[in-house]
Amino acid sequence: MDVRGELSEFLKSRRARLRPEDVGLPRYAGQRRVPGLRREELSLLAGVSVAHYTRLEQGHTENVSADVLDAIARTLRLDDDERAYLHRLAHAAAGSRPSRPAAAAAAIRLRPGLQRMLDSLDRTPVFVLGHHTDIVAWNRAAAALLDLAAVPAGRRTWSHQVFLSADFKGMLGDGWAEFARAHVSYLRVLLARNPGDARLQAHIAAMRTASADFRQVWGEQSVSTWSGRDYVFTHPVVGRLELSGETMLLPADAELSELELLVAEPGSPSAAGLHRLIAESDRKASAELG
């Protein structure tokens, strides 16, 4: 990853979204050459020199303190996720170490205890994720929701589902754009946390090549963590499903990242629909076995 380039584009994008009147400066009557705040205006508000900020926006972070980054974050009105992203990029740019070579993806065998937990949650879709949005394993409820077994292993990632699966996009309907933006925002968080992860870089580069939608959303420079999100699917078999996403980290499993659980409210139409969907999936599986 070109960390300095990412830092530069991120700061420019956040500067461009603010108008002088947004931060208490008088409205500019003439024509501004660029949208948003000028570097001079931002520097004045943040209490840093123009030269110091300019070097930061060019990706040079060797002498930038955490206090200066916080002052710039406050001036740019960054939220907590964006502030953390700025600090991570600045830290990574100061290190400027080369990326680690990309290792080939290997088959992952779940621990017996983790596999038992996955199997026991037979009424809740659960996905086991790796570090590159790859969907490593899933349970029978998840299989009823998404036919991942039919997807080639190399395309079995959330990125591919969101941007290259017409079926998944159709189930999301009007919520697709928000879901897609949230997914790409989280990829940026992952990339800032692991700037030397060549597999993650290669995954993002491949998605930028494969999907014009991905390229567009990636260019927005949005940043946010992924936790506690709600899902609304329109499934072709049972219709509308409103599910709450919950994330469980897996710190004891070095090759894994987290569990993603999709939970329906007990007694709700979505819970009933999910149960019907699982039952229909089980019926088909039994019929195929003979």
Side-chain angles (χ1 to χ4, degrees):
M1 179 177 74
D2 178 9
V3 178
R4 290 182 173 179
E6 290 291 335
L7 175 61
S8 177
E9 291 303 313
F10 177 69
L11 287 171
K12 289 176 182 176
S13 72
R14 293 310 181 264
R15 188 161 56 84
R17 73 181 181 181
L18 289 176
R19 299 170 300 175
E21 54 267 34
D22 293 334
V23 292
L25 295 175
R27 180 189 293 269
Y28 186 73
Q31 184 71 30
R32 297 174 73 92
R33 286 191 305 110
V34 294
L37 293 179
R38 295 191 174 108
R39 286 175 176 171
E40 295 82 0
E41 293 167 335
L42 175 59
S43 299
L44 175 65
L45 292 167
V48 301
S49 71
V50 177
H52 200 48
Y53 175 76
T54 298
R55 281 184 54 79
L56 175 63
E57 196 172 274
Q58 292 172 344
H60 300 287
T61 64
E62 293 82 0
N63 298 311
V64 178
S65 68
D67 288 341
V68 167
L69 292 174
D70 283 337
I72 291 169
R74 285 192 297 271
T75 304
L76 290 174
R77 300 187 174 182
L78 303 186
D79 61 26
D80 290 342
D81 289 337
E82 292 171 328
R83 184 190 303 269
Y85 182 72
L86 173 62
H87 277 268
R88 289 189 183 107
L89 281 184
H91 180 75
S96 62
R97 60 184 183 274
S99 298
R100 296 185 297 273
I108 296 175
R109 185 178 181 86
L110 301 189
R111 288 183 291 107
L114 182 58
Q115 184 66 61
R116 284 194 294 271
M117 184 178 72
L118 194 66
D119 295 338
S120 69
L121 296 170
D122 58 353
R123 294 295 177 181
T124 299
V126 184
F127 304 90
V128 183
L129 305 184
H131 295 289
H132 312 96
T133 84
D134 43 323
I135 304 171
V136 174
W138 56 93
N139 65 357
R140 57 192 282 267
L145 184 66
L146 298 177
D147 187 13
L148 291 170
V151 179
R155 294 168 61 91
R156 206 175 285 154
T157 75
W158 277 124
S159 297
H160 284 87
Q161 285 293 304
V162 175
F163 289 97
L164 296 175
S165 170
D167 290 341
F168 189 71
K169 186 173 183 178
M171 284 204 301
L172 288 171
D174 293 339
W176 177 84
E178 180 181 353
F179 192 99
R181 187 170 292 107
H183 175 74
V184 173
S185 298
Y186 183 51
L187 279 178
R188 281 196 173 278
V189 171
L190 293 180
L191 200 56
R193 287 176 183 168
N194 306 285
D197 191 329
R199 270 192 63 199
L200 182 58
Q201 293 177 36
H203 171 71
I204 292 169
M207 290 305 305
R208 293 177 72 176
T209 299
S211 169
D213 287 331
F214 187 96
R215 288 195 300 275
Q216 178 180 338
V217 180
W218 183 260
E220 295 175 6
Q221 295 284 331
S222 56
V223 178
S224 67
T225 55
W226 186 279
S227 61
R229 294 188 177 274
D230 294 331
Y231 301 76
V232 178
F233 297 111
T234 302
H235 197 278
V237 176
V238 296
R240 185 180 178 89
L241 295 173
E242 298 180 9
L243 306 174
S244 298
E246 296 297 333
T247 299
M248 294 177 57
L249 300 180
L250 297 170
D253 298 89
E255 297 175 312
L256 302 176
S257 173
E258 60 203 37
L259 296 180
E260 184 75 15
L261 299 89
L262 304 185
V263 183
E265 181 181 352
S268 67
S270 293
L274 187 57
H275 292 172
R276 290 198 308 273
L277 181 61
I278 295 168
E280 176 64 15
S281 177
D282 288 347
R283 186 192 65 77
K284 287 184 176 180
S286 296
E288 290 174 358
L289 290 175

